[in-house]
Amino acid sequence: MRLIQTEYLQGSVDIPADKSIAHRSIMFGAIAEGETKVTNFLRAQDCLNTLQAFKDLGVPIYDEGETITITGVGAKGLSPAKQTIDVGNSGTALRLLLGILAGTTFETTLEGDASLNKRPMERMMIPLSQMGATITGAFHSEFPPITIQGTTQLTPIEYHMPIASAQVKSAILFAALQAEGMTKIIEKETSRNHTEEMIIQFGGKIQTDGKVIFLQGPQQLKGQEMTVPGDISSAAFFLVAGAIVPNSEIILKNVGINFTRTGIIDVMKQMGANIQIVDNDLMNQSATLIISSSSLNAATIKGAMIPRLIDELPVIALLATQAQGTTIIKDAQELKVKETNRIDATAQELQKMGANIQATQDGLVIQGKTALHGAKVSSHGDHRIGMMLQIAALISKEEVQLENPEVIAISYPNFFQDIKQLVKRTE
Ligand code: S3P
């Protein structure tokens, strides 16, 4: 597919719903008691897979267009699926489901697509088996298809997380809600806290003290009405586009601004980007952002900042190709085990377009500022690499061809339409 190029960008975008929160809205709705109504659910492939997975586990879920209604079955009310549950490309669906299934009386097998079946699961097996579940990977490996045999006798744990991962933390918390006693999790770095926030929103109790989280189980949650805010990880592509395309201004509406997710705003401001936060709705953690063309300087991005922008790093690397100086991204080895190896994929594809970017052990080094040129590039089957390359194409003078653009529907089905309506040419 030929990617879109432009002279400048102008207009506004309604940012689609947050993928992390949309997955969790179905999960919490399913294990709560009573009815949950979710508005602004993300109808992207990853979240639809979570929805289907819970239907497979016997949860009545009705998609009524505006709202999704879930009749919660309670923590003990899931029923065995008739066959293997296929969660497609979604690591969040698979890993969080393992935490929920740890407390059942039955066995479930979960599998994914070719990408997910290569992603590491030992990080799940260690804590959840310490809590009493039995988990085995394909041919005794750590990889999916994964079979989990739950137990009603889950024991709480004290767990020092070896990596910063919201998925691992969340799965332990889902299991801890079903275990008798106090579970304590010590995070390596603070990762996104949607699960902790939603436990409270669904009537549960959890304490956080810096990097330490306490949850006393068992707890029964209660169904809620909720609206999913827009996804800052989707907004990120427009933030970078608005900053690097000359003479542009884009208004991004309904962007979720939970602090554990806003690293991109902090880093872009530090690099000199013209970002304004307006209509800041603190109650709903959502705001309107305005981004305009910016003169950018390089930055070093590392440590505690990394989990606050982990999914945005490929597009931040693109931003750095347009910043003066050397940008260093480090402590980001987790990027190697995302939907693809995002360190290598980002470096390889941006190099094809003329960027001065090198992969390192735990990140990327980018020398700016370089003009980007036409190329044939690949998404590597990864939605975020595909979207990053479309943003890069906007500033290329020559044609850019993207292989396998369909993967973008995994998180953002209307991405190309939303870009198209911003594209402007001087008459
Ligand atoms: C997610 C957590 C992050 C992130 C992923 C979604 C979540 O993964 O990269 O896209 O919803 O909890 P890790 O927790 O593995 O870092």
Side-chain angles (χ1 to χ4, degrees), residues 18-21 23-24 92 95-96 119 123 163-170 191-192 194-195 261 310-311 334 338-339 342 383-384:
D18 189 288
K19 184 154 80 71
S20 289
I21 299 176
H23 279 298
R24 287 164 172 80
T92 306
R95 293 197 176 117
L96 272 57
R119 294 181 65 185
R123 56 185 62 197
I163 46 171
S165 166
Q167 293 179 349
V168 176
K169 171 178 67 175
S170 300
S191 61
R192 65 190 65 190
H194 304 304
T195 304
R261 299 285 300 281
I310 186 77
D311 291 341
E334 274 296 299
K338 295 293 177 188
E339 285 82 329
R342 286 183 175 160
H383 54 128
R384 296 198 202 281

Side-chain angles (χ1 to χ4, degrees), residues 29-42:
I31 62 164
E33 258 170 9
E35 201 171 81
T36 288
K37 282 192 179 290
V38 183
T39 50
N40 198 36
F41 182 71
L42 179 68

